[in-house]
Amino acid sequence: MRKWHNHNSSALKRKLLIFDFDDTIASTECKVIIRYPDGSSEKMSTEDFKNHQKKEANEYDFSEFEKVINPKVNDDIVSIIRHAIDARSYRDEIIVLTARQSASRPAVKTFLSSLGLNVPSSIELVTLDDSRAQAKADWVEKKIKAGITEILFMDDSRANVEAVRYLFKRYPQVIIDAREVSHAEEAF
C-alpha cells in the first residue's frame, strides 16, 4: 500500500518550466523607441531599457518587438528546452513567457518553430504585453494556484528572477528554482 501511495503522490506533481524569450532564448536587434516631450527620440536596446527610468511624459513604442529582428540563439538555453521536451511527463508544462505584446506571437512562434520548438505541440507561448517584473510573477502565481508544485524559471532579468523567487515566501510548499541566465550574445 505504501508503494502505491508514494507513486500516486509523485504522479500528481505538476512541473512548470518557464523560459523568457528576449535575451534568454535569443537576442534580437529589436529596440524600444522612446519619444521625449521636447520632440526628440532615441532607440534603446532591451539591455539599456532595463536600466532606463520610465517617465510618464515619455512615449514608449515597442512596435519593433512585433518582429524577431536578426536573432542570435542562445544554444545552451535551447538545448535545455529540447531536453525538457524529451524528458517531460504528461503533467509538465513548458512555457515561453515573454513581455512582448500579442502582436508578436506569429513572429516568435515562427522563430521557435525554426528551432524545432513547435507551438503549441511541444511548448506554449505566452505574451504578457507588460514588461514589469511583477507581471511575470503574477502569471506564475496563477499557475501555482492552479496546482503547479515545481517551477523552473529562466530569465535574463534579475528583477524578473527576484519577483518569481519571492513567491516562495508565499508558497513554501512549491519548489521554485528561478535562475538568471546569461544573455544570448554572451553565449558565442
Side-chain angles (χ1 to χ4, degrees):
M1 183 71 169
R2 182 184 273 286
K3 233 180 194 181
W4 178 85
H5 174 72
N6 288 343
H7 173 72
N8 189 34
S9 64
S10 68
L12 295 177
K13 288 184 178 179
R14 292 186 55 211
K15 294 180 184 175
L16 181 62
L17 296 94
I18 305 166
F19 301 89
D20 173 51
F21 182 72
D22 287 294
D23 297 328
T24 300
I25 292 175
S27 63
T28 68
E29 293 179 11
C30 299
K31 306 251 191 253
V32 178
I33 302 166
I34 305 170
R35 292 183 186 87
Y36 299 103
D38 67 2
S40 64
S41 66
E42 73 174 300
K43 287 187 171 187
M44 195 173 283
S45 70
T46 54
E47 183 65 28
D48 292 335
F49 188 70
K50 280 186 223 172
N51 300 318
H52 173 74
Q53 294 295 325
K54 296 177 191 169
K55 296 180 181 166
E56 279 190 41
N58 298 339
E59 179 185 326
Y60 297 95
D61 178 349
F62 296 91
S63 60
E64 285 193 11
F65 289 89
E66 293 177 8
K67 305 171 210 143
V68 177
I69 301 171
N70 296 325
K72 293 180 183 161
V73 177
N74 184 336
D75 291 323
D76 293 336
I77 297 299
V78 172
S79 178
I80 291 168
I81 296 170
R82 285 188 180 123
H83 178 73
I85 290 168
D86 292 343
R88 77 173 165 189
S89 79
Y90 73 97
R91 297 186 60 82
D92 296 346
E93 295 179 55
I94 302 171
I95 310 289
V96 173
L97 181 64
T98 179
R100 286 178 177 233
Q101 62 272 42
S102 59
S104 70
R105 287 183 64 79
V108 173
K109 182 179 175 182
T110 298
F111 175 73
L112 292 172
S113 293
S114 76
L115 300 175
L117 307 173
N118 297 313
V119 178
S121 60
S122 59
I123 59 174
E124 182 182 347
L125 173 60
V126 176
T127 54
L128 293 175
D129 196 16
D130 191 336
S131 61
R132 296 173 306 115
Q134 192 58 48
K136 285 194 176 183
D138 290 346
W139 188 90
V140 171
E141 185 173 26
K142 286 178 188 171
K143 296 303 266 186
I144 291 171
K145 289 178 178 179
I148 293 296
T149 57
E150 293 183 38
I151 297 168
L152 171 64
F153 179 85
M154 299 185 85
D155 199 305
D156 68 291
S157 166
R158 176 168 285 147
N160 293 347
V161 169
E162 291 302 322
V164 170
R165 278 186 186 150
Y166 184 78
L167 290 171
F168 181 73
K169 291 182 180 185
R170 297 180 70 190
Y171 303 95
Q173 75 282 8
V174 177
I175 298 168
I176 299 175
D177 182 358
R179 300 181 191 181
E180 184 179 352
V181 300
S182 298
H183 301 293
E185 63 268 12
E186 294 173 1
F188 297 103

